[in-house]
Amino acid sequence: MGSVSEDKQKKTAGSSGADTNVDPLTPVLRISQLDALELDSALEQLVWTQFSQCFQNCRPGLLTPLEPELRALLQLLIWRFTLYSNSATVGQSILSLRYHSRLSSSRRYRPLSRRQKFSLALLTAGPRWLQDRSHSLLLFLGLGTGGPISQTDSGFQQGIRRCLAFVSGIIQLASLFNFLVFLRKGTHPVLAERIVGVQAVFSKPNVVRDVSYQYMNRELLWHGFAEFLIYLLPLINTRKLKTTIHSVLFGREGKGGEEAGDGHRVWRECGLCGEWPTMPHTVGCQHVFCYYCIKSHSIADAYLTCPKCGAEAGQPEPVKMEVEMEGR
């Protein structure tokens, strides 16, 4: 019976493309384990996004009442075709990792048992579902947490609420302590892994987290260029540069003569926002601007020029207009 069980374990491990001769005691980088968790979380979010898009043409809020259950169902679906089949999540498979059962003292790799796989699924999906459904469940039991404990609550209700708050605090404290231990020893980044007795190990021998020189040089060059642009762009007066280019291409005199012949259009349009001038002001040329537009631009740029004709902008002055009243 023992040989049959060992052959079955070898067959299961071999079907996933893993090497059974890898030493499970070889330490795995902490960053690799954290990256695997991030990849798994990104996959779950991607699956949920694609699933919710199938109902985008339906009534808004259709999935909201059942969202915790649907998320848990999708998570269990991913678990069925990844961890249950290969003893490795998607993130671990990408980084050449897998789960190893620590219930055996053997130095050889041992895949997870069904009990460990079901326990991992329960400890992963269960707490998230309870957290999303906690408010509804407490309201259903008459233990709403909308405010502080009132004097009208019975002693039993107060005790239950205090007990739930205490258990929640203990779980959060245990998760924090487990993560600190993970940073110290490099194993079990998640509390569920420590409880079930599983550990992330390499699935292939001599796996090295390597980055090619071409990729590294390209990233360094791009980051250096991006930092240069971030430093340079605020120093460039794009408005003045645009005005200069426009005046070189089309000429100031022709532009001024055209607008002088159509003075009514010039006075009906702000030179900055293009709308009807609000509290019209001028800066020394024939163009008109909104007071707040020209004031804000003059504060931001001490050497402001007119964006239309390129003339140096003086102090904003209100436009004086003569209005003639005609009697009937």
Side-chain angles (χ1 to χ4, degrees):
M1 291 295 294
S3 60
V4 174
S5 178
E6 290 180 0
D7 293 340
K8 185 176 181 180
Q9 290 181 0
K10 291 180 180 179
K11 184 178 179 180
T12 304
S15 61
S16 61
D19 190 349
T20 57
N21 295 325
V22 179
D23 186 5
L25 299 181
T26 303
V28 180
L29 293 177
R30 297 171 177 81
I31 188 63
S32 298
Q33 301 182 56
L34 295 178
D35 284 348
L37 295 176
E38 289 295 330
L39 290 172
D40 295 335
S41 177
L43 175 64
E44 294 174 7
Q45 185 61 36
L46 178 62
V47 172
W48 171 254
T49 301
Q50 296 297 325
F51 176 77
S52 59
Q53 285 181 356
C54 298
F55 300 88
Q56 62 182 355
N57 295 326
C58 300
R59 177 175 56 85
L62 179 65
L63 301 180
T64 302
L66 298 176
E67 183 174 343
E69 287 75 17
L70 292 176
R71 284 183 176 271
L73 182 62
L74 291 176
Q75 189 174 2
L76 291 176
L77 187 64
I78 296 174
W79 164 84
R80 169 61 182 83
F81 293 100
T82 56
L83 183 60
Y84 184 81
S85 302
N86 304 321
S87 294
T89 64
V90 175
Q92 290 177 337
S93 300
I94 294 176
L95 299 176
S96 299
L97 301 177
R98 61 181 173 178
Y99 276 130
H100 163 68
S101 177
R102 300 193 63 184
L103 301 182
S104 175
S105 58
S106 175
R107 292 182 58 89
R108 301 188 62 180
Y109 170 75
R110 181 177 180 180
L112 304 186
S113 62
R114 286 190 176 183
R115 180 178 299 178
Q116 288 177 315
K117 295 176 181 178
F118 280 106
S119 299
L120 272 179
L122 181 62
L123 293 176
T124 303
R128 295 182 183 178
W129 178 82
L130 285 176
Q131 183 179 5
D132 294 337
R133 277 296 181 195
S134 59
H135 182 69
S136 301
L137 293 176
L138 291 177
L139 289 179
F140 178 76
L141 298 174
L143 303 173
T145 58
I149 298 177
S150 61
Q151 298 179 354
T152 58
D153 292 340
S154 63
F156 176 75
Q157 290 178 338
Q158 294 180 8
I160 291 295
R161 289 178 61 179
R162 290 195 182 98
C163 181
L164 291 176
F166 178 76
V167 171
S168 177
I170 289 296
I171 293 176
Q172 293 179 2
L173 183 62
S175 300
L176 176 61
F177 181 75
N178 175 79
F179 187 74
L180 295 177
V181 174
F182 162 72
L183 295 179
R184 177 67 178 84
K185 296 186 176 181
T187 57
H188 308 300
V190 182
L191 184 60
E193 297 180 4
R194 190 178 299 275
I195 294 175
V196 177
V198 299
Q199 178 181 349
V201 297
F202 288 114
S203 59
K204 298 178 181 179
N206 301 325
V207 175
V208 180
R209 190 185 176 103
D210 193 12
V211 180
S212 63
Y213 284 108
Q214 293 83 357
Y215 177 80
M216 186 181 300
N217 291 336
R218 185 170 67 250
E219 288 297 316
L220 290 175
L221 180 61
W222 169 249
H223 283 293
F225 181 68
E227 292 180 358
F228 174 74
L229 290 180
I230 292 174
Y231 174 77
L232 180 64
L233 288 179
L235 302 179
I236 300 176
N237 190 340
T238 55
R239 185 171 52 255
K240 188 173 183 179
L241 180 62
K242 179 182 176 181
T243 303
T244 304
I245 295 176
H246 189 276
S247 62
V248 170
L249 294 178
F250 301 99
R252 297 184 181 181
E253 296 180 357
K255 184 72 176 179
E258 179 184 351
E259 293 184 352
D262 191 8
H264 294 288
R265 186 177 66 85
V266 175
W267 289 76
R268 295 175 184 174
E269 179 181 303
C270 174
L272 291 170
C273 66
E275 301 294 334
W276 188 276
T278 302
M279 299 174 61
H281 279 63
T282 182
V283 291
C285 60
Q286 60 180 351
H287 298 98
V288 177
F289 309 91
C290 300
Y291 171 73
Y292 295 105
C293 291
I294 194 62
K295 191 65 177 178
S296 60
H297 282 73
S298 61
I299 293 175
D301 185 6
Y303 303 98
L304 179 66
T305 58
C306 177
K308 293 290 186 179
C309 61
E312 284 191 27
Q315 290 296 328
E317 297 181 358
V319 175
K320 298 180 180 180
M321 303 180 63
E322 296 181 0
V323 180
E324 296 182 359
M325 302 294 293
E326 296 184 357
R328 284 185 165 178

